[in-house]
Amino acid sequence: MSWIDDQRPDDAMAGAFEAIGPEPVVTVGAAAFRDAMCRLGAAVHVVTTAGPGGKTGFTATAVCSVSDAPPTLLVCLNRKSHGGPILRENKVFCVNTLGADCEAVADVFAGRTGAAKAERFVTGLWSTLKTGAPVLAASVVAFDCRVVEIRAVASHNVIFGAVVDIRMGPAGPALVYHNRAYKRV
């Protein structure tokens, strides 16, 4: 499938790949990509935000360190997510890396229980750090961030955050998602 021709996803941004060159980019099919990506084990995180736009959070595996000078990380969020506009307005977020016993929290914030927005915070014990974004007490580590940039790429927003505070949680195994199942590492 080409993202330049008329088959691109409805919510893909025109020009998402034009910085490299004007020729079309032909990709594998979405189903094949999802099947391949399920074999890539990844830490499970709950990304939270609170502020003038409201309070919400979502489960994510697409979280990555960008730099340590200055400390920056990124989070990918589907542009159709209801949490996107709230996070954009609040301009803060916290990446809570889940411990191995946090499957229930992951499911709540993934939308599997029907809880939405602030209702999701009934599960777990929460506090805050510098930004006011919710921090899960059971998280292995929490990265408190201020949004420095949001980039639209294909179906997702890539949200870059400057890390303004860190809370190290209890030591122990972390929760990962691999082959469409939770696992302990």
Side-chain angles (χ1 to χ4, degrees), residues 155-182:
S155 61
H156 282 61
N157 282 329
V158 181
I159 305 148
F160 295 88
V163 180
V164 299
D165 206 357
I166 294 173
R167 187 193 62 76
M168 301 297 282
L175 188 65
V176 298
Y177 199 69
H178 175 257
N179 208 20
R180 296 186 173 96
Y182 294 122

Side-chain angles (χ1 to χ4, degrees), residues 1 3 9 27-39 179-180:
M1 168 187 326
W3 288 7
T27 65
V28 299
F33 180 71
R34 283 191 301 271
D35 285 343
M37 288 301 296
C38 88
R39 295 182 181 196
N179 208 20
R180 296 186 173 96

Side-chain angles (χ1 to χ4, degrees), residues 3 8 11-18 79:
W3 288 7
R8 68 182 181 171
D11 59 338
M13 262 188 83
F17 293 102
E18 290 175 5
R79 292 201 331 249

Side-chain angles (χ1 to χ4, degrees), residues 1 10 63 84 100 135 169 175:
M1 168 187 326
D10 292 341
V63 173
V135 176
L175 188 65

Side-chain angles (χ1 to χ4, degrees), residues 68-92:
D68 67 353
T72 307
L73 53 75
L74 67 79
V75 172
C76 297
L77 176 62
N78 191 303
R79 292 201 331 249
K80 292 179 181 178
S81 169
H82 296 290
I86 297 169
L87 192 149
R88 182 182 292 276
E89 184 175 345
N90 291 343
K91 298 179 179 82
V92 299

Side-chain angles (χ1 to χ4, degrees), residues 48 94 96 121 125-129 132-139 142 144 167:
T48 59
C94 184
N96 296 276
F121 294 91
L125 299 174
W126 300 90
S127 64
T128 60
L129 295 172
V135 176
L136 180 65
S139 63
D144 197 28
R167 187 193 62 76

